[in-house]
């Protein structure tokens, strides 16, 4: 399912570049997995809560003190990752990121997320790659995606639960391939070939250990 999804993404990019590739691939994969008996065991996203989040604020001083060092670490990593992603797509989107605005946005979004029991929010490389590959170029994309995600989670949660995880991974992997800076790697090879060792180690560590390490 994953390989077929990747092939479908590339095929649509070649034969129908203006078509919304990711939704088409995910929809086809969902229908195929749902109706082909031999694919019945393919893991799907699973149940998605469709209720509106409830605001709650329950803080204790001892918990705040215990979590503060970890919160500071998460905040630093979130900002570095978000700003690095913004810089990576600055040329494509023709918009230079402003560090102060990144901090304001991250701070406000995480405050709201904490009040509804959400996870820490940061700019994601894979999600941004999917959006840019789909044609996103301005900051309005984030607002539109947020509204759509909230609406889909409430209205179409039962349908989204049947999306195969492999198909979703294929869409993300295909979009992430476009982030490989082949020209940059070639430049490193010409200027300082020994640095290719560190490039290879970084790639292997990312695939083997994950981004969090």
């Amino acid at each position: 399912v994953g390989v077929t999804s990747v092939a479908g993404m590339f095929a649509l990019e070649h034969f129908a570049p203006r078509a919304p590739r990711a939704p088409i691939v995910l929809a086809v994969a969902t229908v195929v997995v749902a109706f082909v008996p031999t694919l019945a065991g393919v893991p799907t996203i699973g149940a998605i809560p469709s209720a509106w989040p409830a605001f709650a604020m329950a803080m204790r001083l001892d918990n705040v003190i215990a979590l503060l060092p970890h919160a500071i670490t998460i905040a630093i990593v979130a900002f570095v990752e978000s700003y690095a992603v913004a810089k990576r797509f600055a040329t494509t989107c023709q918009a230079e990121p402003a560090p102060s605005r990144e901090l304001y946005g991250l701070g406000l979004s995480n405050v709201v997320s904490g009040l509804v029991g959400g996870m820490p929010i940061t700019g994601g490389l894979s999600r941004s790659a999917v959006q840019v590959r789909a044609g996103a170029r301005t900051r309005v994309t984030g607002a539109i995606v947020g509204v759509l995600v909230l609406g889909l989670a409430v209205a179409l949660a039962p349908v989204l639960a049947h999306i195969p995880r492999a198909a979703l991974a294929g869409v993300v992997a295909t979009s992430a391939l476009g982030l490989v800076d082949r020209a940059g790697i070639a430049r490193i090879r010409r200027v300082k070939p020994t640095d290719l060792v560190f490039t290879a180690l970084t790639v292997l560590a990312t695939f083997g250990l994950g981004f969090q390490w």
Side-chain angles (χ1 to χ4, degrees):
V1 174
V3 173
T4 305
S5 299
V6 171
M9 289 287 290
F10 282 120
L12 287 172
E13 183 178 15
H14 181 74
F15 295 106
R18 294 183 177 275
R21 296 181 292 274
I24 292 174
V25 169
L26 293 178
V28 172
T30 302
V31 173
V32 171
V33 170
F35 291 98
V36 176
T38 55
L39 298 177
V42 173
T44 59
I45 292 178
I48 301 175
S50 58
W52 287 90
F55 283 89
M57 188 172 180
M59 292 191 301
R60 288 168 32 190
L61 182 59
D62 55 342
N63 288 337
V64 172
I65 295 175
L67 294 175
L68 187 59
H70 306 288
I72 293 175
T73 303
I74 292 174
I76 294 174
V77 173
F79 170 69
V80 171
E81 182 180 2
S82 298
Y83 189 69
V85 171
K87 289 290 290 184
R88 173 61 183 82
F89 294 110
T91 302
T92 304
C93 300
Q94 298 180 350
E96 189 66 23
S100 58
R101 291 186 178 182
E102 290 289 332
L103 283 172
Y104 292 149
L106 286 172
L108 181 59
S109 59
N110 276 287
V111 167
V112 177
S113 177
L115 292 176
V116 296
M119 298 290 289
I121 295 175
T122 180
L125 186 61
S126 58
R127 296 188 299 273
S128 299
V130 172
Q131 293 178 13
V132 171
R133 198 176 181 87
R137 292 295 182 271
T138 68
R139 299 177 180 87
V140 179
T141 303
I144 295 175
V145 170
V147 173
L148 289 176
V149 168
L150 182 61
L152 290 174
V154 174
L156 298 177
V159 177
L160 298 177
H162 297 289
I163 295 177
R165 294 183 183 179
L168 193 59
V171 170
V172 174
T174 305
S175 301
L177 286 175
L179 300 177
V180 179
D181 188 0
R182 299 179 180 86
I185 296 175
R187 186 167 56 252
I188 291 174
R189 182 176 61 82
R190 291 194 306 270
V191 176
K192 195 174 181 180
T194 53
D195 281 358
L196 284 177
V197 176
F198 297 101
T199 302
L201 290 175
T202 302
V203 172
L204 292 175
T206 301
F207 282 108
L209 300 176
F211 287 103
Q212 67 270 26
W213 297 102

